[in-house]
């Protein structure tokens, strides 16, 4: 059951949560010019949503420990899930297709990535330091994740690492 449909958004973010908690579930986001969901200094759940033709990031986290579960993300101009600025999410059971980057982990963030499928994207999982005032880049703990048909499965810089226990 779809609870909400958010489409044809030409503003910066379709939904922006700041300093709060949000549960965004069973909704459809499509044809946004920039990011669909942006969490800043917030916690919550983004689950069982569909994202189609997102101009920026489907889900963008900054300083946020949110749970990203069971979403279908298709055709993002930038990232399926962007994990930045010391965020620490659980990203589990998502399907990400045709994005420039499937999941990016950067700027002191640590993401647990389990049981996802990332396919036909530029880079499946990218880890890097974007902002120089962060000492570290990103850390990704990746388990049982399927990467197929991507131009590159992993991209890391000297400040970042992938752990595959």
């Amino acid at each position: 059951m779809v609870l909400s449909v958010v489409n044809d958004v030409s503003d910066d973010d379709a939904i922006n949560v700041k300093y709060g908690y949000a549960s965004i579930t069973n909704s459809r986001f499509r044809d946004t010019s920039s990011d669909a969901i942006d969490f800043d200094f917030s916690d919550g759940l983004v689950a069982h949503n569909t994202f189609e033709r997102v101009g920026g990031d489907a889900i963008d986290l900054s300083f946020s420990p949110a749970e990203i579960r069971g979403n279908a993300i298709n055709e993002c101009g930038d990232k399926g899930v962007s994990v930045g600025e010391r965020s620490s999410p659980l990203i589990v059971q998502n399907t990400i297709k045709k994005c420039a980057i499937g999941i990016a982990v950067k700027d002191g963030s640590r993401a647990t990535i389990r049981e996802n499928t990332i396919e036909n994207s530029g880079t499946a999982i990218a880890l890097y330091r974007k902002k120089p005032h962060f000492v570290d880049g990103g850390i990704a703990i990746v388990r049982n994740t399927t990467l197929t048909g991507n131009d590159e499965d992993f991209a890391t810089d000297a400040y970042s690492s992938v752990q595959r226990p």
Side-chain angles (χ1 to χ4, degrees), residues 84-138:
E85 296 94 13
R86 293 193 189 104
S87 292
S88 56
L90 170 63
I91 304 169
V92 62
Q93 298 173 340
N94 300 282
T95 300
I96 302 171
K97 299 178 182 180
K98 298 181 184 176
C99 296
I101 297 172
I103 300 172
V105 184
K106 56 192 187 289
D107 296 335
S109 295
R110 181 182 182 94
T112 300
I113 301 169
R114 284 193 342 239
E115 301 164 24
N116 297 279
T117 298
I118 306 171
E119 58 187 41
N120 300 324
S121 294
T123 301
I125 300 174
L127 299 102
Y128 54 96
R129 184 177 78 177
K130 180 178 179 182
K131 299 177 181 173
H133 62 273
F134 287 96
V135 174
D136 298 317

